[in-house]
């Protein structure tokens, strides 16, 4: 495939011809990014569901909120722990195959959930199957696509792909909350399964593993980059990168801050905001709509964060993001009420802008410190994010069972965000001395 078929050869070879060619064509990397965006939206459908089902499952089966929170906790933990291995598997087998299998697992897990009658089946469907599927579709996927297809605008593209999860939440939360309220929870689970399956053909037909597959250089690259050979021993390589990165200080600081990020977003707000608001008399549909509005502003905030990351110190950005998030969480217990009022709307907008704005600077710091292994290192950092989310998803349910309120969890998360802001400030600048170069398996 060439891009000069519509230009005279001499003109195409000249600098002016190159400029004309670039103006006339949209680089294929943007189409790959668009497919990745749609794919992550499809995977985000299931991630919109657990917070809506805590009360229905508690009422139908009598399961405690702690038990339901444990299933969500397993899902979140596997979401993170699968990510680094998925990044290595993409190097071995290609992006298309890994992502197609992951979406199929999500569909199977959410589809089988409609027949569950025991708590262990909840752990299997929500925890194991969907956890493995969503883990393979985690932000390490976005990092892999960005690293392979772009050398310029990486921060912006990372922000766009990160915002895809929020867009999925925006699309599916109001719909799923209406389905749960009007038709119970099983049709909502089927809707999620169908949404995941619907994305598989787009992945298989349109997604490509590397620019070299279509005869192109990465976006912004001055030269053609050959496709690297498949990397065998995905598990060994993934663990080798972990052991090498774990000997460096920046890895632990990034992992610690991102664990707090997960605790204060997926583990806390995404899982427990709807039941917490319902405790104060707010209808489930209203609470779910507020959570969806967080997704609206998250899209804006994350894309803006990607733009900022291309221009400002990522460490300082992280410190600002965590500090502002912590302040907002400290005020939330005072804002919950039976109806939506202006201070709550302000919280939703403010918190939404910060929801996953931390992702672009965190990926940038992984790339800065660990070079070509940055995507796998970020996969491990993301694992810490999900472990933090898993702990709070479970602890939040237990706290509600024990204290009858979520207030203690909101305050604790706000304090943790303050600690994350301080940790971000002490991350040193990247240098060749801390790059990871494990031997190939």
């Amino acid at each position: 495939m060439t891009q000069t078929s519509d230009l005279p050869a001499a003109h195409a070879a000249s600098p002016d011809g190159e400029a004309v060619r670039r103006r006339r064509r949209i680089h294929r990397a943007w189409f790959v990014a668009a497919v990745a965006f749609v794919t992550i939206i499809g995977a985000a459908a299931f991630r919109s569901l657990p917070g809506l089902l805590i009360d229905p499952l508690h009422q139908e089966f009598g399961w405690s909120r702690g038990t339901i929170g444990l299933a969500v906790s397993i899902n979140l933990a596997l979401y993170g722990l699968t990510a680094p291995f998925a990044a290595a598997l993409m190097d071995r087998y290609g992006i298309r195959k890994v992502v197609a299998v992951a979406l199929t697992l999500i569909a199977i897990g959410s589809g089988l959930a409609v027949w569950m009658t025991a708590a262990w089946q909840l752990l299997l469907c929500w925890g194991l199957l969907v956890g493995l599927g969503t883990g393979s579709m985690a932000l390490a996927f976005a990092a892999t696509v960005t690293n392979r297809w772009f050398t310029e605008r990486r921060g912006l593209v990372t922000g766009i792909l990160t915002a895809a999860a929020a867009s999925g939440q925006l699309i599916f939360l109001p719909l799923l909350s209406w389905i749960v309220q009007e038709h119970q929870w099983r049709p909502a689970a089927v809707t999620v399964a169908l949404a995941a399956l619907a994305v598989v053909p787009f992945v298989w037909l349109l997604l490509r593993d590397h620019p070299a597959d279509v005869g192109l250089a990465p976006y912004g690259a001055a030269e053609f980059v050959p496709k690297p050979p498949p990397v065998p021993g995905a598990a060994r390589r993934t663990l080798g990168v972990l052991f090498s990165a774990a000997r460096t200080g920046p890895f632990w600081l990034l992992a610690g801050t991102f664990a707090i990020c997960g605790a204060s977003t997926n583990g806390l707000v995404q899982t427990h905001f709807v039941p917490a608001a319902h405790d104060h008399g707010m209808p489930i549909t209203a609470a779910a709509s507020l959570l969806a509005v967080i997704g609206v502003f998250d899209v804006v905030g994350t894309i803006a964060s990607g733009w900022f990351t291309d221009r400002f110190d990522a460490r300082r950005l992280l410190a600002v993001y965590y500090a502002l998030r912590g302040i907002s969480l400290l005020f939330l217990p005072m804002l919950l009420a039976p109806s939506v009022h202006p201070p709550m709307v302000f919280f939703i907008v403010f918190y939404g802008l910060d929801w996953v704005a931390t992702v672009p600077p965190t990926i940038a710091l992984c790339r800065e410190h660990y070079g070509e292994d940055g995507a796998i290192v970020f996969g491990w950092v993301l694992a810490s994010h999900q472990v933090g989310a898993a702990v709070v998803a479970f602890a939040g349910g237990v706290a509600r069972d024990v204290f009858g309120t979520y207030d203690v969890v909101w305050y604790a998360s706000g304090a943790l965000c303050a600690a994350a802001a301080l940790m971000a400030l002490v991350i040193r600048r990247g240098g060749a001395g801390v790059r990871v170069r494990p031997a190939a398996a």
Side-chain angles (χ1 to χ4, degrees):
M1 175 180 175
T2 65
Q3 299 185 32
T4 58
S5 59
D6 57 342
L7 297 171
H11 184 61
S14 68
D16 290 342
E18 179 69 17
V20 171
R21 183 177 65 185
R22 288 185 177 180
R23 285 196 298 269
R24 288 185 177 180
R25 292 184 180 272
I26 299 175
H27 196 285
R28 178 67 175 269
W30 294 108
F31 292 102
V32 171
V35 174
F37 185 91
V38 173
T39 302
I40 295 172
I41 285 178
F46 190 88
R47 305 201 60 78
S48 303
L49 194 57
L52 301 178
L53 300 190
I54 290 178
D55 285 335
L57 292 178
H58 174 70
Q59 293 169 5
E60 178 172 340
F61 297 107
W63 299 333
S64 71
R65 290 176 176 83
T67 298
I68 300 169
L70 178 61
V72 178
S73 178
I74 293 172
N75 175 282
L76 292 172
L78 284 176
Y79 177 90
L81 294 172
T82 303
F85 294 95
L89 286 172
M90 289 176 188
D91 287 342
R92 177 67 179 88
Y93 297 105
I95 297 174
R96 281 197 305 171
K97 292 179 181 178
V98 173
V99 173
V101 170
L103 286 167
T104 303
L105 278 177
I106 293 171
I108 292 173
S110 54
L112 289 177
V114 302
W115 287 290
M116 65 184 179
T117 56
W120 69 266
Q121 295 165 347
L122 175 70
L123 303 181
L124 174 65
C125 294
W126 279 22
L128 180 62
L129 292 178
V130 178
L132 291 173
T134 54
S136 300
M137 287 294 306
L139 294 173
F141 167 51
T144 300
V145 169
T146 304
N147 288 349
R148 290 187 182 186
W149 281 89
F150 293 85
T151 59
E152 293 181 358
R153 302 288 188 266
R154 279 177 168 174
L156 176 63
V157 175
T158 300
I160 292 172
L161 294 182
T162 302
S167 299
Q169 177 177 289
L170 164 65
I171 293 170
F172 288 103
L173 259 179
L175 172 64
L176 293 176
S177 65
W178 178 82
I179 293 175
V180 169
Q181 180 169 291
E182 298 296 327
H183 304 286
Q184 304 301 319
W185 63 270
R186 288 180 177 82
V190 172
T191 300
V192 167
L194 294 177
L197 280 178
V199 182
V200 175
F202 292 95
V203 170
W204 196 255
L205 295 174
L206 301 177
L207 195 63
R208 292 295 179 268
D209 294 328
H210 195 276
D213 290 341
V214 289
L216 295 175
Y219 179 83
E223 299 178 352
F224 180 81
V225 178
K227 182 178 181 179
V231 180
R236 185 180 302 176
R237 181 185 177 217
T238 302
L239 293 173
V241 170
L242 172 63
F243 294 145
S244 297
R247 293 196 292 267
T248 67
F251 173 79
W252 292 106
L253 290 168
L254 288 168
T257 57
F258 224 44
I260 294 172
C261 179
S264 56
T265 54
N266 301 70
L268 181 61
V269 175
Q270 184 167 342
T271 303
H272 294 293
F273 178 81
V274 171
H278 190 55
D279 282 347
H280 287 76
M282 185 180 294
I284 290 178
T285 51
S289 297
L290 288 176
L291 205 55
V293 173
I294 288 178
V296 176
F297 288 94
D298 176 44
V299 173
V300 177
T302 307
I303 294 175
S305 178
W307 187 86
F308 290 143
T309 302
D310 287 331
R311 290 161 176 80
F312 301 106
D313 187 338
R315 300 169 303 160
R316 289 184 171 84
L317 289 175
L318 284 179
V320 171
Y321 296 157
Y322 284 121
L324 293 176
R325 181 185 300 173
I327 292 170
S328 67
L329 287 173
L330 293 176
F331 281 97
L332 180 58
M334 296 178 282
L335 303 178
L336 292 170
S339 60
V340 179
H341 47 85
M344 173 59 78
V345 174
F346 178 80
F347 167 83
I348 293 296
V349 173
F350 187 87
Y351 186 85
L353 291 171
D354 200 337
W355 175 268
V356 286
T358 55
V359 173
T362 300
I363 290 179
L365 288 169
C366 288
R367 187 185 304 120
E368 177 183 330
H369 283 277
Y370 305 107
E372 294 177 0
D373 294 306
I376 296 178
V377 172
F378 176 71
W380 285 113
V381 171
L382 178 64
S384 71
H385 180 283
Q386 296 309 116
V387 169
V391 170
V392 173
F394 175 65
V398 172
R400 173 60 178 80
D401 289 334
V402 173
F403 300 108
T405 178
Y406 285 103
D407 287 1
V408 64
V409 188
W410 303 124
Y411 293 134
S413 295
L416 285 174
C417 288
L422 295 176
M423 292 167 65
L425 288 175
V426 301
I427 299 173
R428 63 181 178 180
R429 292 187 179 277
V434 295
R435 290 186 186 279
V436 179
R437 287 289 182 269

